[in-house]
Structures are given as structure tokens and as C-alpha cells.
Coordinates of all heavy atoms in Angstrom, one line a residue:
M1377 N 0.8 -1.2 0.0 CA 0.0 0.0 0.0 C 0.9 1.3 0.0 O 0.6 2.2 -0.7 CB -0.9 -0.1 1.2 CG -1.8 1.1 1.4 SD -3.1 1.0 0.1 CE -4.0 2.4 0.6
M1378 N 1.9 1.3 0.8 CA 2.8 2.4 0.9 C 3.5 2.6 -0.4 O 3.7 3.8 -0.8 CB 3.8 2.2 2.0 CG 4.5 3.4 2.4 SD 3.3 4.6 3.1 CE 4.3 5.4 4.2
E1379 N 3.9 1.5 -1.1 CA 4.6 1.7 -2.4 C 3.7 2.3 -3.4 O 4.1 3.1 -4.3 CB 5.1 0.3 -2.9 CG 6.1 -0.3 -2.1 CD 5.6 -1.2 -0.9 OE1 4.4 -1.5 -1.0 OE2 6.3 -1.4 0.0
L1380 N 2.4 2.0 -3.4 CA 1.4 2.5 -4.4 C 1.3 4.0 -4.2 O 1.2 4.8 -5.2 CB 0.1 1.8 -4.2 CG -1.0 2.3 -5.2 CD1 -0.6 2.0 -6.6 CD2 -2.3 1.6 -4.8
I1381 N 1.2 4.5 -2.9 CA 1.1 5.9 -2.7 C 2.4 6.6 -3.1 O 2.3 7.7 -3.7 CB 0.9 6.2 -1.1 CG1 -0.5 5.6 -0.8 CG2 1.0 7.6 -0.8 CD1 -0.8 5.7 0.7
F1382 N 3.6 6.0 -2.9 CA 4.8 6.6 -3.3 C 4.9 6.7 -4.8 O 5.3 7.7 -5.3 CB 6.0 5.8 -2.7 CG 7.3 6.3 -3.1 CD1 7.8 7.5 -2.5 CD2 8.1 5.7 -4.1 CE1 9.0 8.0 -2.9 CE2 9.3 6.2 -4.5 CZ 9.8 7.3 -3.9
V1383 N 4.5 5.6 -5.5 CA 4.6 5.6 -7.0 C 3.6 6.7 -7.5 O 3.9 7.4 -8.5 CB 4.3 4.2 -7.5 CG1 4.1 4.3 -9.0 CG2 5.4 3.3 -7.1
T1384 N 2.4 6.8 -7.0 CA 1.5 7.8 -7.4 C 2.0 9.2 -7.2 O 1.9 10.1 -8.0 CB 0.1 7.6 -6.6 OG1 -0.3 6.3 -6.8 CG2 -0.9 8.6 -7.1
F1385 N 2.6 9.4 -6.0 CA 3.2 10.8 -5.7 C 4.3 11.1 -6.7 O 4.4 12.2 -7.2 CB 3.7 10.8 -4.3 CG 4.3 12.1 -3.9 CD1 3.6 13.2 -3.7 CD2 5.7 12.2 -3.8 CE1 4.2 14.4 -3.4 CE2 6.3 13.3 -3.5 CZ 5.6 14.5 -3.3
V1386 N 5.2 10.2 -7.0 CA 6.3 10.4 -7.9 C 5.8 10.7 -9.3 O 6.2 11.6 -10.0 CB 7.3 9.2 -7.9 CG1 8.3 9.3 -9.0 CG2 8.0 9.2 -6.6
A1387 N 4.8 9.9 -9.7 CA 4.2 10.1 -11.1 C 3.6 11.5 -11.2 O 3.7 12.2 -12.2 CB 3.2 9.0 -11.4
L1388 N 2.9 11.9 -10.1 CA 2.2 13.2 -10.1 C 3.3 14.3 -10.2 O 3.1 15.3 -10.9 CB 1.3 13.4 -8.9 CG 0.5 14.7 -8.8 CD1 -0.4 14.8 -10.0 CD2 -0.2 14.7 -7.5
A1389 N 4.3 14.2 -9.4 CA 5.4 15.2 -9.4 C 6.1 15.2 -10.8 O 6.4 16.3 -11.3 CB 6.4 14.8 -8.3
W1390 N 6.3 14.1 -11.4 CA 6.9 14.0 -12.7 C 6.1 14.8 -13.7 O 6.6 15.5 -14.6 CB 7.2 12.6 -13.1 CG 7.7 12.5 -14.5 CD1 7.1 12.0 -15.6 CD2 9.0 12.8 -14.9 NE1 7.9 12.1 -16.7 CE2 9.1 12.6 -16.3 CE3 10.2 13.3 -14.3 CZ2 10.2 12.8 -17.1 CZ3 11.3 13.6 -15.1 CH2 11.3 13.3 -16.4
Q1391 N 4.8 14.5 -13.7 CA 3.9 15.2 -14.7 C 3.9 16.7 -14.5 O 3.9 17.5 -15.4 CB 2.5 14.6 -14.6 CG 2.3 13.2 -15.1 CD 0.9 12.7 -15.0 OE1 0.1 13.4 -14.3 NE2 0.7 11.5 -15.5
T1392 N 3.9 17.1 -13.2 CA 3.9 18.6 -12.9 C 5.2 19.2 -13.4 O 5.2 20.3 -14.1 CB 3.8 18.8 -11.4 OG1 2.6 18.2 -11.0 CG2 3.7 20.3 -11.1
V1393 N 6.4 18.6 -13.2 CA 7.6 19.1 -13.6 C 7.7 19.1 -15.2 O 8.1 20.1 -15.8 CB 8.8 18.3 -13.0 CG1 10.1 18.7 -13.7 CG2 8.9 18.6 -11.5
R1394 N 7.2 18.1 -15.8 CA 7.3 18.0 -17.3 C 6.4 19.1 -17.9 O 6.7 19.7 -18.9 CB 6.8 16.6 -17.7 CG 7.2 16.3 -19.1 CD 6.8 14.9 -19.5 NE 5.5 15.0 -20.2 CZ 4.6 14.1 -20.2 NH1 4.8 12.9 -19.6 NH2 3.5 14.2 -20.8
A1395 N 5.2 19.3 -17.3 CA 4.3 20.3 -17.8 C 4.9 21.7 -17.7 O 4.8 22.5 -18.6 CB 2.9 20.3 -17.1
R1396 N 5.6 22.0 -16.6 CA 6.2 23.3 -16.4 C 7.3 23.5 -17.3 O 7.5 24.6 -17.9 CB 6.6 23.5 -15.0 CG 5.5 23.7 -14.0 CD 6.0 24.0 -12.6 NE 4.9 24.1 -11.7 CZ 4.5 25.2 -11.1 NH1 5.1 26.3 -11.4 NH2 3.5 25.2 -10.3
V1397 N 8.1 22.5 -17.6 CA 9.3 22.6 -18.5 C 8.8 22.8 -19.9 O 9.3 23.7 -20.6 CB 10.2 21.4 -18.4 CG1 11.2 21.4 -19.5 CG2 10.9 21.4 -17.0
S1398 N 7.8 22.1 -20.3 CA 7.3 22.2 -21.7 C 6.6 23.6 -21.9 O 6.7 24.2 -22.9 CB 6.3 21.1 -22.1 OG 5.2 21.2 -21.3
A1399 N 6.0 24.1 -20.8 CA 5.4 25.5 -20.9 C 6.5 26.5 -21.0 O 6.4 27.5 -21.8 CB 4.5 25.8 -19.7
C1400 N 7.6 26.4 -20.3 CA 8.7 27.3 -20.5 C 9.3 27.3 -21.8 O 9.7 28.3 -22.4 CB 9.8 27.0 -19.4 SG 9.3 27.4 -17.7
I1401 N 9.4 26.1 -22.4 CA 10.0 25.9 -23.8 C 9.1 26.6 -24.8 O 9.5 27.3 -25.7 CB 10.3 24.5 -24.1 CG1 11.4 23.9 -23.2 CG2 10.6 24.3 -25.6 CD1 11.6 22.5 -23.3
R1402 N 7.8 26.4 -24.6 CA 6.8 27.0 -25.6 C 6.8 28.5 -25.5 O 6.5 29.2 -26.4 CB 5.4 26.5 -25.3 CG 5.2 25.1 -26.0 CD 3.8 24.8 -25.8 NE 3.5 24.8 -24.4 CZ 2.9 23.8 -23.7 NH1 2.4 22.8 -24.4 NH2 2.7 23.9 -22.4
N1403 N 7.1 29.1 -24.3 CA 7.0 30.5 -24.1 C 8.2 31.3 -24.5 O 8.3 32.5 -24.3 CB 6.7 30.8 -22.6 CG 5.3 30.5 -22.3 OD1 4.4 30.4 -23.1 ND2 5.0 30.2 -21.0
V1404 N 9.2 30.6 -25.1 CA 10.3 31.3 -25.6 C 9.9 32.3 -26.8 O 9.2 31.9 -27.6 CB 11.4 30.3 -26.1 CG1 12.5 31.0 -26.8 CG2 11.9 29.5 -25.0
R1405 N 10.4 33.5 -26.7 CA 9.9 34.5 -27.7 C 10.5 34.1 -29.1 O 11.6 33.7 -29.2 CB 10.5 35.8 -27.3 CG 9.6 36.6 -26.4 CD 10.1 38.0 -26.3 NE 9.6 38.6 -25.1 CZ 10.0 39.7 -24.6 NH1 10.9 40.4 -25.3 NH2 9.5 40.2 -23.5
A1406 N 9.7 34.3 -30.1 CA 10.1 34.2 -31.5 C 10.9 35.5 -31.8 O 10.7 36.5 -31.3 CB 8.9 34.1 -32.4
P1407 N 11.9 35.3 -32.7 CA 12.7 36.5 -33.1 C 11.8 37.6 -33.7 O 10.8 37.2 -34.5 CB 13.7 36.0 -34.0 CG 13.2 34.7 -34.5 CD 12.3 34.2 -33.4
R1408 N 12.1 38.8 -33.4 CA 11.3 39.9 -34.0 C 11.6 40.0 -35.5 O 12.7 39.8 -36.0 CB 11.6 41.2 -33.4 CG 11.1 41.3 -32.0 CD 11.4 42.6 -31.3 NE 12.0 43.7 -32.1 CZ 12.4 44.8 -31.6 NH1 12.2 45.1 -30.4 NH2 12.9 45.8 -32.4
A1409 N 10.5 40.4 -36.3 CA 10.7 40.5 -37.7 C 11.5 41.8 -38.0 O 11.5 42.8 -37.2 CB 9.3 40.7 -38.4
V1410 N 12.2 41.8 -39.1 CA 13.0 42.9 -39.5 C 12.1 44.0 -40.0 O 11.3 43.7 -40.9 CB 14.1 42.5 -40.6 CG1 14.8 43.8 -41.0 CG2 15.0 41.5 -40.1
P1411 N 12.1 45.2 -39.5 CA 11.2 46.3 -39.9 C 11.6 46.7 -41.4 O 12.7 46.4 -41.9 CB 11.4 47.4 -38.9 CG 12.8 47.2 -38.4 CD 13.0 45.7 -38.4
L1412 N 10.7 47.4 -42.0 CA 10.9 47.8 -43.4 C 12.1 48.7 -43.5 O 12.8 48.7 -44.5 CB 9.6 48.6 -43.8 CG 9.5 49.1 -45.2 CD1 9.6 47.9 -46.2 CD2 8.3 49.9 -45.5
C1413 N 12.4 49.4 -42.4 CA 13.6 50.4 -42.5 C 14.9 49.6 -42.6 O 15.9 50.2 -43.1 CB 13.6 51.2 -41.2 SG 12.2 52.3 -41.0
G1414 N 14.9 48.4 -42.3 CA 16.2 47.6 -42.4 C 16.7 47.6 -43.8 O 18.0 47.4 -44.0
D1415 N 15.9 47.6 -44.9 CA 16.3 47.6 -46.3 C 16.1 48.9 -47.0 O 16.2 48.9 -48.2 CB 15.5 46.5 -47.0 CG 15.8 45.1 -46.4 OD1 17.0 44.9 -46.0 OD2 14.9 44.2 -46.5
C1416 N 15.9 49.9 -46.3 CA 15.6 51.2 -47.0 C 16.9 52.0 -47.2 O 17.8 52.0 -46.4 CB 14.7 52.1 -46.1 SG 14.2 53.6 -46.9
F1417 N 16.9 52.7 -48.3 CA 18.1 53.5 -48.7 C 18.3 54.7 -47.7 O 19.4 55.1 -47.5 CB 17.8 54.1 -50.1 CG 18.9 55.0 -50.6 CD1 20.1 54.4 -51.1 CD2 18.8 56.3 -50.6 CE1 21.1 55.2 -51.6 CE2 19.8 57.2 -51.0 CZ 21.0 56.6 -51.5
H1418 N 17.3 55.2 -47.1 CA 17.3 56.3 -46.3 C 17.6 56.0 -44.8 O 17.7 56.8 -43.9 CB 16.0 57.1 -46.3 CG 15.7 57.6 -47.7 ND1 16.4 58.6 -48.3 CD2 14.7 57.3 -48.5 CE1 15.9 58.8 -49.5 NE2 14.9 58.0 -49.6
A1419 N 17.8 54.7 -44.5 CA 17.9 54.2 -43.1 C 19.4 54.1 -42.7 O 20.3 53.7 -43.5 CB 17.3 52.9 -42.9
H1420 N 19.7 54.5 -41.5 CA 21.0 54.3 -40.9 C 20.7 53.3 -39.7 O 20.0 53.7 -38.8 CB 21.6 55.6 -40.3 CG 22.8 55.4 -39.6 ND1 24.0 55.1 -40.2 CD2 23.1 55.4 -38.2 CE1 24.9 54.9 -39.3 NE2 24.4 55.1 -38.1
V1421 N 21.2 52.1 -39.8 CA 20.9 51.0 -38.9 C 22.1 50.7 -38.1 O 23.2 50.4 -38.7 CB 20.3 49.8 -39.6 CG1 19.9 48.7 -38.6 CG2 19.1 50.2 -40.5
Q1422 N 22.0 50.6 -36.8 CA 23.1 50.2 -35.9 C 22.6 48.9 -35.2 O 21.5 48.9 -34.7 CB 23.4 51.2 -34.9 CG 24.0 52.5 -35.5 CD 24.1 53.6 -34.4 OE1 23.3 53.7 -33.5 NE2 25.1 54.4 -34.6
Y1423 N 23.5 47.9 -35.3 CA 23.2 46.6 -34.7 C 24.0 46.4 -33.4 O 25.3 46.5 -33.5 CB 23.4 45.4 -35.6 CG 22.5 45.5 -36.8 CD1 22.9 46.1 -38.0 CD2 21.3 44.9 -36.8 CE1 22.1 46.1 -39.1 CE2 20.4 44.9 -37.9 CZ 20.9 45.5 -39.0 OH 20.0 45.6 -40.1
A1424 N 23.4 46.1 -32.3 CA 24.2 45.9 -31.0 C 24.5 44.4 -30.9 O 24.0 43.5 -31.6 CB 23.3 46.3 -29.9
A1425 N 25.5 44.1 -30.0 CA 25.9 42.7 -29.8 C 24.8 41.8 -29.3 O 24.8 40.6 -29.5 CB 27.1 42.7 -28.9
N1426 N 23.8 42.4 -28.5 CA 22.8 41.6 -28.0 C 21.6 41.5 -28.9 O 20.5 41.0 -28.4 CB 22.3 42.2 -26.6 CG 21.8 43.6 -26.8 OD1 21.7 44.1 -27.9 ND2 21.4 44.2 -25.7
G1427 N 21.7 41.9 -30.1 CA 20.6 41.7 -31.1 C 19.7 42.9 -31.2 O 18.7 42.9 -32.0
Q1428 N 19.9 43.9 -30.5 CA 19.0 45.1 -30.6 C 19.5 46.0 -31.8 O 20.6 45.9 -32.2 CB 19.0 45.9 -29.3 CG 18.4 45.3 -28.1 CD 18.4 46.2 -26.9 OE1 19.4 46.9 -26.7 NE2 17.4 46.0 -26.1
R1429 N 18.5 46.8 -32.3 CA 18.8 47.6 -33.4 C 18.4 49.1 -33.0 O 17.5 49.3 -32.3 CB 17.9 47.3 -34.6 CG 18.1 46.0 -35.2 CD 17.2 45.8 -36.4 NE 15.8 45.6 -36.0 CZ 15.3 44.4 -35.8 NH1 16.0 43.4 -36.0 NH2 14.0 44.3 -35.5
A1430 N 19.2 50.0 -33.5 CA 18.9 51.4 -33.4 C 18.8 51.9 -34.9 O 19.8 51.9 -35.6 CB 20.0 52.2 -32.7
I1431 N 17.6 52.4 -35.3 CA 17.4 52.8 -36.6 C 17.1 54.3 -36.7 O 16.3 54.8 -35.8 CB 16.2 52.1 -37.2 CG1 16.5 50.6 -37.2 CG2 15.9 52.5 -38.6 CD1 15.3 49.7 -37.7
S1432 N 17.7 55.0 -37.6 CA 17.5 56.4 -37.8 C 17.1 56.6 -39.3 O 17.7 56.0 -40.2 CB 18.7 57.3 -37.5 OG 19.1 57.1 -36.2
C1433 N 16.2 57.5 -39.6 CA 15.8 57.8 -40.9 C 16.4 59.1 -41.4 O 16.4 60.1 -40.7 CB 14.2 58.0 -41.0 SG 13.6 58.2 -42.7
T1434 N 17.1 59.1 -42.6 CA 17.8 60.2 -43.1 C 17.0 60.9 -44.3 O 17.6 61.7 -45.0 CB 19.2 59.9 -43.5 OG1 19.1 58.9 -44.5 CG2 20.0 59.3 -42.3
F1435 N 15.8 60.5 -44.5 CA 15.0 61.1 -45.6 C 14.8 62.6 -45.4 O 14.5 63.1 -44.3 CB 13.6 60.5 -45.7 CG 12.8 61.0 -46.9 CD1 13.1 60.6 -48.2 CD2 11.8 61.9 -46.7 CE1 12.4 61.1 -49.2 CE2 11.1 62.4 -47.7 CZ 11.4 62.0 -49.0
G1436 N 15.1 63.4 -46.4 CA 14.9 64.8 -46.3 C 16.1 65.6 -45.7 O 16.0 66.8 -45.5
G1437 N 17.2 64.9 -45.5 CA 18.4 65.6 -45.1 C 18.7 65.5 -43.6 O 19.8 65.7 -43.1
G1438 N 17.6 65.3 -42.8 CA 17.8 65.3 -41.3 C 17.9 63.8 -40.9 O 17.7 62.9 -41.6
V1439 N 18.3 63.7 -39.6 CA 18.4 62.3 -39.0 C 17.4 62.3 -37.9 O 17.5 63.0 -36.9 CB 19.8 62.1 -38.5 CG1 19.9 60.7 -37.8 CG2 20.9 62.2 -39.6
R1440 N 16.4 61.4 -38.1 CA 15.4 61.2 -37.1 C 15.4 59.8 -36.5 O 15.4 58.8 -37.3 CB 14.0 61.5 -37.7 CG 13.8 62.9 -38.2 CD 12.5 63.1 -38.9 NE 12.2 62.2 -39.9 CZ 12.7 62.3 -41.2 NH1 13.6 63.3 -41.5 NH2 12.4 61.4 -42.1
P1441 N 15.4 59.6 -35.2 CA 15.3 58.2 -34.7 C 14.0 57.6 -35.0 O 12.9 58.2 -34.9 CB 15.6 58.4 -33.2 CG 15.3 59.8 -32.9 CD 15.5 60.6 -34.2
V1442 N 14.0 56.3 -35.3 CA 12.7 55.6 -35.6 C 12.5 54.7 -34.3 O 13.3 53.8 -34.1 CB 12.8 54.7 -36.8 CG1 11.6 53.9 -37.0 CG2 13.1 55.6 -38.0
T1443 N 11.5 54.9 -33.6 CA 11.3 54.2 -32.3 C 10.2 53.1 -32.4 O 9.9 52.5 -31.4 CB 10.8 55.2 -31.3 OG1 9.6 55.9 -31.7 CG2 11.8 56.3 -31.0
L1444 N 9.8 52.8 -33.6 CA 8.8 51.7 -33.8 C 9.2 50.9 -35.0 O 9.9 51.3 -35.8 CB 7.4 52.2 -33.9 CG 7.1 53.3 -35.0 CD1 6.5 52.7 -36.2 CD2 6.2 54.4 -34.4
D1445 N 8.6 49.7 -35.1 CA 8.9 48.8 -36.2 C 7.9 49.3 -37.4 O 6.7 49.1 -37.3 CB 8.6 47.4 -35.9 CG 9.7 46.8 -35.0 OD1 10.8 47.4 -34.9 OD2 9.5 45.8 -34.3
V1446 N 8.5 49.8 -38.4 CA 7.7 50.3 -39.6 C 7.3 49.2 -40.5 O 8.1 48.4 -40.9 CB 8.6 51.4 -40.3 CG1 7.8 51.9 -41.5 CG2 9.0 52.5 -39.4
L1447 N 6.0 49.2 -40.8 CA 5.4 48.2 -41.7 C 5.2 48.8 -43.1 O 5.2 48.1 -44.1 CB 4.1 47.6 -41.2 CG 4.2 46.9 -39.8 CD1 2.9 46.5 -39.4 CD2 5.2 45.7 -40.0
Y1448 N 4.9 50.1 -43.2 CA 4.7 50.7 -44.4 C 5.2 52.2 -44.4 O 5.1 52.8 -43.4 CB 3.2 50.8 -44.7 CG 2.8 51.5 -46.0 CD1 3.0 51.0 -47.2 CD2 2.3 52.8 -45.9 CE1 2.8 51.7 -48.4 CE2 2.1 53.5 -47.1 CZ 2.3 53.0 -48.3 OH 2.0 53.7 -49.5
C1449 N 5.9 52.6 -45.4 CA 6.5 53.9 -45.4 C 6.3 54.5 -46.8 O 6.6 53.9 -47.8 CB 7.9 53.9 -45.0 SG 8.7 55.5 -45.0
T1450 N 5.8 55.8 -46.9 CA 5.6 56.4 -48.2 C 7.0 56.8 -48.8 O 7.0 57.0 -50.0 CB 4.7 57.6 -48.1 OG1 5.3 58.5 -47.1 CG2 3.3 57.2 -47.7
D1451 N 8.0 57.0 -48.0 CA 9.3 57.4 -48.6 C 10.3 56.2 -48.7 O 11.5 56.5 -48.9 CB 9.9 58.4 -47.6 CG 9.0 59.6 -47.4 OD1 8.4 60.0 -48.4 OD2 8.9 60.1 -46.3
Y1452 N 9.8 55.0 -48.7 CA 10.7 53.8 -48.7 C 11.3 53.7 -50.1 O 10.7 53.9 -51.1 CB 9.9 52.6 -48.4 CG 10.7 51.3 -48.6 CD1 11.6 50.9 -47.7 CD2 10.6 50.5 -49.8 CE1 12.4 49.7 -47.8 CE2 11.3 49.4 -50.0 CZ 12.2 49.0 -49.0 OH 12.9 47.9 -49.2
R1453 N 12.6 53.4 -50.2 CA 13.3 53.2 -51.4 C 14.3 52.0 -51.1 O 15.1 52.1 -50.2 CB 14.1 54.4 -51.9 CG 14.5 54.3 -53.3 CD 14.9 55.6 -53.9 NE 16.4 55.7 -53.7 CZ 17.0 56.8 -53.7 NH1 16.4 58.0 -53.9 NH2 18.3 56.9 -53.6
D1454 N 14.2 51.0 -51.9 CA 15.0 49.8 -51.7 C 16.5 50.1 -51.9 O 16.9 50.7 -53.0 CB 14.6 48.7 -52.6 CG 15.2 47.3 -52.3 OD1 16.1 47.3 -51.4 OD2 14.8 46.3 -52.9
R1455 N 17.4 49.8 -51.0 CA 18.8 50.2 -51.1 C 19.5 49.3 -52.1 O 20.6 49.6 -52.5 CB 19.5 50.2 -49.7 CG 19.7 48.8 -49.1 CD 20.5 48.8 -47.9 NE 19.9 49.6 -46.9 CZ 20.6 50.3 -45.9 NH1 21.8 50.1 -45.8 NH2 19.9 51.0 -45.1
N1456 N 18.9 48.2 -52.5 CA 19.6 47.2 -53.4 C 19.3 47.6 -54.9 O 19.9 47.0 -55.8 CB 19.2 45.8 -53.1 CG 19.6 45.4 -51.8 OD1 20.7 45.7 -51.3 ND2 18.8 44.6 -51.1
L1457 N 18.4 48.5 -55.2 CA 18.1 48.9 -56.5 C 19.1 50.0 -57.0 O 19.6 50.7 -56.2 CB 16.7 49.4 -56.6 CG 15.5 48.4 -56.4 CD1 14.2 49.1 -56.5 CD2 15.6 47.3 -57.4
P1458 N 19.4 50.0 -58.3 CA 20.3 51.1 -58.8 C 19.6 52.5 -58.6 O 18.4 52.6 -58.6 CB 20.5 50.7 -60.2 CG 19.4 49.8 -60.6 CD 18.9 49.1 -59.3
L1459 N 20.5 53.5 -58.5 CA 19.9 54.8 -58.3 C 19.2 55.3 -59.6 O 19.6 54.9 -60.7 CB 21.1 55.8 -58.1 CG 21.8 55.6 -56.8 CD1 23.0 56.6 -56.7 CD2 20.9 55.9 -55.6
R1460 N 18.2 56.1 -59.4 CA 17.4 56.6 -60.5 C 18.2 57.7 -61.1 O 18.6 58.6 -60.4 CB 16.0 57.1 -60.0 CG 15.1 56.0 -59.6 CD 13.8 56.7 -59.1 NE 13.8 56.5 -57.7 CZ 12.9 57.1 -56.9 NH1 12.1 58.0 -57.3 NH2 12.9 56.9 -55.6
S1461 N 18.3 57.7 -62.4 CA 18.9 58.8 -63.1 C 17.8 59.8 -63.5 O 16.9 59.5 -64.3 CB 19.7 58.4 -64.3 OG 18.9 57.7 -65.3
S1462 N 17.9 61.0 -63.1 CA 16.9 62.0 -63.4 C 17.7 63.3 -63.7 O 18.7 63.6 -63.1 CB 15.9 62.2 -62.3 OG 16.6 62.6 -61.1
A1463 N 17.1 64.1 -64.5 CA 17.7 65.4 -64.9 C 17.4 66.4 -63.8 O 16.3 66.4 -63.2 CB 17.1 65.9 -66.2
I1464 N 18.3 67.2 -63.5 CA 18.2 68.3 -62.5 C 18.2 69.6 -63.2 O 19.1 69.9 -64.0 CB 19.3 68.2 -61.4 CG1 19.2 66.8 -60.7 CG2 19.2 69.3 -60.4 CD1 20.3 66.6 -59.7
G1465 N 17.3 70.4 -62.9 CA 17.2 71.7 -63.6 C 16.4 71.7 -64.9 O 15.6 70.8 -65.1
F1466 N 16.7 72.7 -65.7 CA 16.0 72.7 -67.0 C 16.8 72.0 -68.1 O 18.0 72.2 -68.3 CB 15.8 74.2 -67.4 CG 15.0 75.0 -66.5 CD1 15.6 75.9 -65.6 CD2 13.6 74.9 -66.4 CE1 14.9 76.6 -64.7 CE2 12.9 75.6 -65.5 CZ 13.5 76.5 -64.7
V1467 N 16.1 71.1 -68.7 CA 16.7 70.3 -69.8 C 16.2 70.8 -71.1 O 15.0 70.9 -71.3 CB 16.4 68.8 -69.6 CG1 17.0 68.0 -70.7 CG2 16.9 68.3 -68.2
R1468 N 17.1 71.0 -72.0 CA 16.7 71.5 -73.3 C 17.5 70.8 -74.4 O 18.8 70.7 -74.3 CB 17.0 73.0 -73.4 CG 16.4 73.7 -74.6 CD 16.6 75.2 -74.4 NE 17.9 75.5 -74.9 CZ 18.4 76.7 -75.0 NH1 17.7 77.7 -74.5 NH2 19.6 77.0 -75.5
E1469 N 16.9 70.4 -75.4 CA 17.6 69.7 -76.5 C 18.3 70.8 -77.4 O 17.6 71.7 -77.8 CB 16.6 68.9 -77.4 CG 15.9 67.8 -76.7 CD 16.8 66.5 -76.6 OE1 17.7 66.4 -77.5 OE2 16.6 65.8 -75.7
I1470 N 19.5 70.6 -77.6 CA 20.3 71.5 -78.4 C 20.7 70.8 -79.7 O 21.3 69.7 -79.6 CB 21.5 72.0 -77.7 CG1 21.1 72.8 -76.4 CG2 22.4 72.9 -78.6 CD1 22.2 73.2 -75.5
A1471 N 20.4 71.4 -80.8 CA 20.7 70.8 -82.1 C 22.2 70.9 -82.3 O 22.8 72.0 -82.0 CB 20.0 71.5 -83.2
P1472 N 22.9 69.9 -82.9 CA 24.3 70.0 -83.1 C 24.6 71.0 -84.2 O 23.9 71.3 -85.1 CB 24.7 68.6 -83.6 CG 23.4 68.0 -84.0 CD 22.3 68.6 -83.2
A1473 N 25.8 71.7 -84.0 CA 26.2 72.7 -84.9 C 26.6 72.1 -86.2 O 27.3 71.1 -86.3 CB 27.3 73.6 -84.4
E1474 N 26.3 72.7 -87.4 CA 26.6 72.2 -88.7 C 27.7 73.0 -89.4 O 27.9 74.1 -89.2 CB 25.4 72.1 -89.5 CG 24.4 71.1 -89.0 CD 23.2 71.0 -89.9 OE1 23.2 71.4 -91.1 OE2 22.2 70.6 -89.4

């Protein structure tokens, strides 16, 4: 009779410990997604040794810290694309001299 109580107590303790360990394993945080600013041409991104990021936006000439994870930005430009060639100032076709 005493062995049965002991075995029941050990089995109950084992199940409790196993449930707590599996709950701790499941509650591990998933890695945060990389914000849109991470691939933007206008972003200055600093990566820390512990995995944190400090992002600043340089659009418009100033440097502004970005304190949230950006999902959509109207000024986004992919840093991996080639630069756009555009004319600056007044462009006028000049006929070649003959």
C-alpha cells in the first residue's frame, strides 16, 4: 500500500515538472521581424551585440530616430536597386552645330 502511494506521488510530481518545463520551452519568444527600415536607402541602422537595433531615418536631409517597427512607409526606397537617373534643372535639346 505504501509503495502505491509513493509511486502515485512520484508520477504526479513528474507530470507537474514535465508540464512546467514544456510550458517554459513554448513561451520562448520568437525573433522579431526585421522592420521595413532595415532595407531602406534612407535608413541608418546600428546593430548591437545583444541583437538590438537602433534605426534612424535620413530622408529629407535630417536624421530622425525611428522608435517603432515600420510596416509601411511612403518614402521607402530599396537600397539594393540602382539609383534613378533624373535630370536636375531645365533640360533643353540643343541641335548639333553644322
Side-chain angles (χ1 to χ4, degrees):
M1377 179 73 173
M1378 194 65 147
E1379 295 87 17
L1380 182 62
I1381 293 174
F1382 179 73
V1383 168
T1384 306
F1385 176 74
V1386 169
L1388 182 62
W1390 175 254
Q1391 286 179 355
T1392 304
V1393 168
R1394 197 177 97 207
R1396 287 184 186 250
V1397 168
S1398 67
C1400 288
I1401 290 172
R1402 278 187 301 230
N1403 288 337
V1404 172
R1405 275 191 202 168
R1408 289 181 7 182
V1410 177
L1412 184 64
C1413 296
D1415 295 329
C1416 183
F1417 179 79
H1418 301 291
H1420 174 76
V1421 184
Q1422 296 173 325
Y1423 295 95
N1426 62 359
Q1428 291 182 327
R1429 294 182 288 268
I1431 301 174
S1432 300
C1433 182
T1434 62
F1435 181 78
V1439 178
R1440 297 175 307 279
V1442 177
T1443 58
L1444 54 100
D1445 290 339
V1446 177
L1447 298 176
Y1448 176 77
C1449 180
T1450 56
D1451 302 320
Y1452 175 79
R1453 194 166 94 200
D1454 191 354
R1455 72 173 57 208
N1456 296 321
L1457 294 178
L1459 293 175
R1460 291 180 248 166
S1461 61
S1462 59
I1464 299 175
F1466 298 103
V1467 178
R1468 189 173 85 179
E1469 295 282 331
I1470 300 175
E1474 293 180 22

